[in-house]
Structure formats: structure tokens, C-alpha cells
Amino acid sequence: MKVYIETFGCQMNENDSERILYLLENAGYERTNDIAASDLIILNTCTVRERAKNRLYGHIGNLKKLKNKNRDILICIGGCTAQDLKEKIIEVFPYVDIVFGTHNIPELPELIGRRRLTNKSICSVENNGFDHDLFKVRRKQSFKAFLPITIGCDNYCSYCIVPLVRGNERSIEAEKIIRNIEELVSGGLIEVTLLGQNVNSYGKNLKKTYTFSELLEKVSNIKGLKRIRFITSHPRDFSKSLIDIIKNRDNIVKHIHLPLQAGSNKILKEMNRNYTREDYFNIIENIKKKILDCAITTDIIVGFPGEEREDFLQTIDMVKKIRFNRAFTFIYSPRTGTKAAKMEDHITLDEKKKWFRELLEIQNIISSEENKKLVGKKFEVLVEGNSAKDGILLKGRMENNTIVNFEGDSSLIGKIIPVIITGAKTFYVMGELIRNNS
Ligand code: 5AD
Ligand code: SF4
């Protein structure tokens, strides 16, 4: 039996797909990249970003042909859009066999078995308190792993659907995290990325509590672990002690992803972000003062309800002053059930698109200028695979998260190697492998 799985959205969803594959392999399935040859199709969906529902509907629509050809193929829709839309998906597409929520992954093999025995589509999205094992996953590579340390979110940023679909924040015990990473390192792990919607609030629900900084210190002590990344940080909870740990530990990467979302205090308040632009500037100043060459990336939303041109210009002002290495930019789009979806919004989408392009243009120039500063310098690069653009070149990642494309043999995949940067683009740099360290 073959399973085809497609993952949309964030790293948390990637991790969920790895868990799904682990469960299904144990149930006798083998992964395939050929959708037409599969017995089971899984779409692991995302609802955070733009027009997710329309895109998903397009995708499911395309599966009808396959289902018509082979009635035995099972179509399963999981992830955040499934959690959000529930039975509605089956109402619109009766040939969808299973809709499963973000809390129901451990049940999937059983749901599949049940569906094969009955004639009725199944929708399972209730949070039934299953204490599922987040660390039982099937990974493509052993040298790199994404590991959730918290799931869910308690912040209720007014635009965000995540707390509604992923539930309240739950942290995983530090001992369990450490044990898992130690095992992975003995199996060849080089780089771990600790995942959470707001990693800085780690530990709140645990009896024996460590702060995120303390957890990071413990992870950093693991022998043989070369690189530790973490996403995402929330400016409200970003502590000074964290900056010190990043500075002092060689295996914690000098890259911080710190979503700004907006540069105007009025909009930050409406977003329920719980910090001001001054607070954010302060954190950045502290980081830049203490950690030399720390890369800072961010997320920004343009066109939040009530955002005026002068508010948007405050965002532009921060982008110019801070000079993010990279910004992930989004046009605000309402999510049913969130507080912002009920707010009055009088700026047209066309106007928002204009602002969005304006921001993108400025940020792209900054990204490209920051990348140019790397040219001529040597960096350690973890080789991740072949580059997406050009299957011949290798793709690696510098400690500061910059992508490097360079010529080399695929035997280098999974190794940290020295590279000299030879050219800069907006979203990546070009490099040359340094042989024999010459
Ligand atoms: N509209 C636009 N962007 C959003 N994001 C989250 N929710 C929305 C929304 N409703 C963006 C935020 C977040 C990133 C993952 O997605 O910038 O940090
Ligand atoms: Fe959403 Fe805010 Fe939680 Fe991030 S911190 S997941 S934006 S509610």
C-alpha cells in the first residue's frame, strides 16, 4: 500500500506530516511521490496564510479525476484548514473520505481502517486529549530535525487562527526533549530546530519548569550537536538572558526570527501583540550590541483593519532602521472566528496591495544589500541537498540561515563544509567550496 502526502504551511505541519508517515509506515504503508500510483492521498493543510481555503478547494477538486478512475483510493484532508472547516469539506466534496484535525493524527490508522469497512466519509476533529507522541516521526534526513517543544498558543493575536485550531499552549517536558535529541545525535543529527508558536514562553504548563533560556542551555550541552535553531520568538517574552546564551554558546546559531507584524503602536495594540515599537527597537538594539553579525528575520502584516497610510509608514520606518536580513510579508486576510475579522476595515485591497509592493521593494533591496556584505567571506555551511532552482548545484545553509548555492558532489549532503561567498542575490548567495581549507 502506498501513501502520497503533501504538506502546506509551516514547520509544525512538516513535523505533523513526519508523524503521520511514521504511523502509516508502521501500519504497512510505503511513501510514494507518484500520486497516481497511491492508495492513500493525504493533504496536510494550512490556514494561516492567504486564500488557503480557495487553494485547498482547488487541490481537492483536482483529485476528483483520480477518485473517478480508482474508487479504492482514499482521500484524507488533515491540518489546520481541516480543523477549521470540519464537515464542510465533506459537504462540498463528498468524495473526500476522511477529514482529521490537528489533534487527531494518532487516530489516523484507525480512521483509515474504519473507512475501508464502511461506506461513509469520516470527520474526526474533536480534541480528545490524546497525549500523542510528538517525537515518533519518519524523517527524510537524519542530519537535520525539527522538534516541537510547545504546541498550540495562548496569545490570541487578534488576526490569528492558530490558537483556535491548535488549541492552548502545551510544553513538552525538558527531559523528554533532551533524551530525544541525544538519541537523534547518536543517529547522526547535526542540526536541530526547536519549534513552537512562541518558544519564549516555554514551560508555563509544566510542573517542573525550565525557562526557554534554561532549556536552550541544556540542549546546547548535548555533545556532538553542532547547530541549534529555534522558531518562533515573541518580542513580548524575549529575555535578555536569552541573548546572553545565544552569544555564549557556539552551537546556538546567530539567527533570530522575531515577528514584528506592524510598526505602529496603534496597530500593535489592535493586534494584541503586547509590545510597542519602542520595546521592539530595544530588543534589536540589545541583540546587535551583544551578538556580532546576528541575522534577524521577521514577519510583517500589511493592511490590518484600521491601518492608515501613516501607520504603514511607521512599519516602513522600522524596516529601514532595523534592516532585517529577510522579512516574510503578508497582506492581512480575515480568519473567521478571530477578533480582527469583526473589525472595521475601510482600506481597499488594491490599496493594500500597493503598500505591500512598496514594502517588498524596500525589503528586497535591504536583503540583497545585506547578502552582498557576505561576498568574499568564508562560512561554514551545512549542505542540505540539491538546490531547488537548479538540481545540479548543492544547497546549504549558513549559521545565520542564509541559503548558499554552490557546485559540489552530492556526497557532501549532511556535512558541514567551508564555503567562500562569490555572489549575492535577494534571497540567497552563491558560493564556492573551499577544498583542503586552502
Ligand atoms: N493575515 C495575514 N497574515 C497572517 N499571519 C498570521 N495570520 C494572518 C492573517 N490573518 C502571518 C503572521 C505570522 C505568519 C506566520 O503569518 O505574520 O507571523
Ligand atoms: Fe498566532 Fe500570535 Fe500565537 Fe503567533 S503568537 S501563533 S501570531 S496567536
Side-chain angles (χ1 to χ4, degrees):
M1 298 288 259
K2 297 218 158 66
V3 53
Y4 172 90
I5 185 162
E6 201 165 334
T7 312
F8 303 86
C10 66
Q11 297 303 344
M12 199 59 91
N13 257 18
E14 290 287 344
N15 183 263
D16 282 350
S17 287
E18 290 173 347
R19 287 168 55 210
I20 292 170
L21 282 172
Y22 175 89
L23 289 166
L24 293 179
E25 281 191 9
N26 280 348
Y29 283 88
E30 191 188 319
R31 186 178 192 172
T32 176
N33 290 326
D34 179 4
I35 191 166
S38 63
D39 304 284
L40 185 67
I41 296 170
I42 297 177
L43 302 185
N44 188 9
T45 64
C46 167
T47 184
V48 171
R49 299 192 185 174
E50 91 269 33
R51 298 208 314 273
K53 185 176 135 191
N54 296 352
R55 279 174 57 204
L56 174 67
Y57 278 16
H59 258 83
I60 305 177
N62 291 338
L63 298 179
K64 191 170 186 189
K65 271 185 263 138
L66 278 175
K67 187 79 177 179
N68 281 344
K69 257 197 228 153
N70 176 2
R71 301 302 299 171
D72 291 334
I73 288 190
L74 290 191
I75 299 176
C76 311
I77 313 295
C80 293
T81 314
Q83 185 72 53
D84 190 25
L85 298 176
K86 306 182 176 70
E87 281 91 357
K88 256 184 245 151
I89 296 178
I90 297 172
E91 279 162 27
V92 181
F93 303 98
Y95 55 90
V96 165
D97 294 286
I98 297 169
V99 170
F100 63 103
T102 52
H103 310 286
N104 311 82
I105 291 171
E107 294 167 51
L108 190 57
E110 187 220 314
L111 298 177
I112 292 167
R114 212 175 343 134
R115 178 65 185 97
R116 292 212 191 272
L117 293 176
T118 61
N119 223 350
K120 220 170 152 275
S121 299
I122 300 172
C123 177
S124 183
V125 290
E126 291 310 312
N127 184 355
N128 44 21
F130 234 124
D131 186 16
H132 42 247
D133 198 333
L134 292 162
F135 294 158
K136 286 196 174 135
V137 294
R138 156 63 59 216
R139 295 197 172 86
K140 275 191 228 140
Q141 304 145 323
S142 55
F143 62 87
K144 194 177 159 172
F146 293 94
L147 213 70
I149 59 165
T150 68
I151 43 175
C153 186
D154 287 342
N155 281 329
Y156 292 92
C157 300
S158 61
Y159 51 82
C160 186
I161 191 90
V162 168
L164 305 179
V165 293
R166 293 258 174 197
N168 282 355
E169 183 185 282
R170 288 92 75 202
S171 298
I172 294 146
E173 288 91 15
E175 288 73 18
K176 204 169 163 192
I177 296 168
I178 303 294
R179 219 179 312 124
N180 192 257
I181 300 176
E182 281 170 350
E183 272 168 30
L184 292 170
V185 170
S186 59
L189 185 80
I190 289 180
E191 178 181 290
V192 70
T193 305
L194 306 177
L195 290 181
Q197 305 297 343
N198 172 8
V199 287
N200 313 97
S201 74
Y202 172 81
K204 268 193 325 204
N205 69 313
L206 297 174
K207 277 197 203 103
K208 186 175 163 194
T209 296
Y210 296 105
T211 63
F212 178 60
S213 303
E214 286 162 349
L215 174 73
L216 208 52
E217 222 166 1
K218 284 181 183 300
V219 174
S220 165
N221 287 339
I222 297 175
K223 288 215 166 54
L225 183 59
K226 299 261 171 52
R227 283 185 177 183
I228 304 158
R229 303 187 176 280
F230 54 92
I231 44 175
T232 292
S233 293
H234 193 300
R236 186 199 53 202
D237 301 319
F238 200 91
S239 66
K240 279 193 175 160
S241 67
L242 184 56
I243 300 177
D244 288 333
I245 287 163
I246 301 170
K247 176 191 159 84
N248 294 334
R249 299 293 180 122
D250 282 345
N251 60 357
I252 302 178
V253 299
K254 309 304 178 246
H255 167 227
I256 296 167
H257 183 65
L258 195 65
L260 168 65
Q261 310 298 9
S264 134
N265 282 338
K266 179 185 106 189
I267 298 303
L268 285 171
K269 190 148 193 281
E270 291 294 309
M271 286 179 163
N272 193 29
R273 290 290 287 174
N274 285 300
Y275 56 85
T276 61
R277 58 186 270 124
E278 292 75 22
D279 296 333
Y280 193 96
F281 269 129
N282 255 331
I283 300 171
I284 299 292
E285 207 181 304
N286 281 333
I287 296 171
K288 289 195 169 168
K289 230 180 356 203
K290 287 207 166 154
I291 313 172
L292 204 66
D293 291 333
C294 185
I296 297 166
T297 55
T298 199
D299 293 344
I300 294 171
I301 297 176
V302 172
F304 186 79
E307 184 172 338
E308 306 287 347
R309 175 85 191 153
E310 55 262 36
D311 297 305
F312 170 69
L313 289 178
Q314 300 246 306
T315 301
I316 295 279
D317 175 63
M318 288 191 80
V319 164
K320 284 185 177 163
K321 286 191 176 129
I322 294 170
R323 294 184 64 81
F324 295 106
N325 293 73
R326 188 154 180 196
F328 299 88
T329 47
F330 309 90
I331 295 181
Y332 168 75
S333 77
R335 291 284 168 271
T336 313
T338 60
K339 207 169 156 210
K342 296 189 205 96
M343 293 178 183
E344 214 171 298
D345 192 358
H346 63 281
I347 304 286
T348 64
L349 185 59
D350 272 351
E351 186 67 11
K352 291 183 184 184
K353 282 184 180 164
K354 253 195 252 162
W355 295 359
F356 180 79
R357 283 195 295 269
E358 204 176 322
L359 170 64
L360 210 61
E361 224 168 272
I362 292 167
Q363 178 55 45
N364 283 352
I365 292 170
I366 295 171
S367 292
S368 157
E369 283 173 355
E370 289 303 310
N371 279 346
K372 275 190 194 127
K373 291 183 187 165
L374 306 172
V375 174
K377 295 187 181 156
K378 290 181 197 171
F379 294 96
E380 300 275 290
V381 167
L382 172 59
V383 188
E384 293 185 348
N386 290 106
S387 89
K389 274 218 166 94
D390 171 346
I392 303 162
L393 292 180
L394 292 177
K395 175 188 134 182
R397 202 175 287 269
M398 287 168 35
E399 195 199 326
N400 81 355
N401 211 36
T402 307
I403 302 279
V404 189
N405 288 344
F406 60 101
E407 261 179 47
D409 193 87
S410 52
S411 62
L412 296 173
I413 293 171
K415 297 200 170 106
I416 292 184
I417 46 128
V419 163
I420 183 157
I421 306 307
T422 54
K425 310 271 180 195
T426 309
F427 302 123
Y428 64 97
V429 294
M430 302 300 295
E432 246 171 54
L433 177 65
I434 304 173
R435 290 171 208 275
N436 306 325
N437 268 345
S438 59

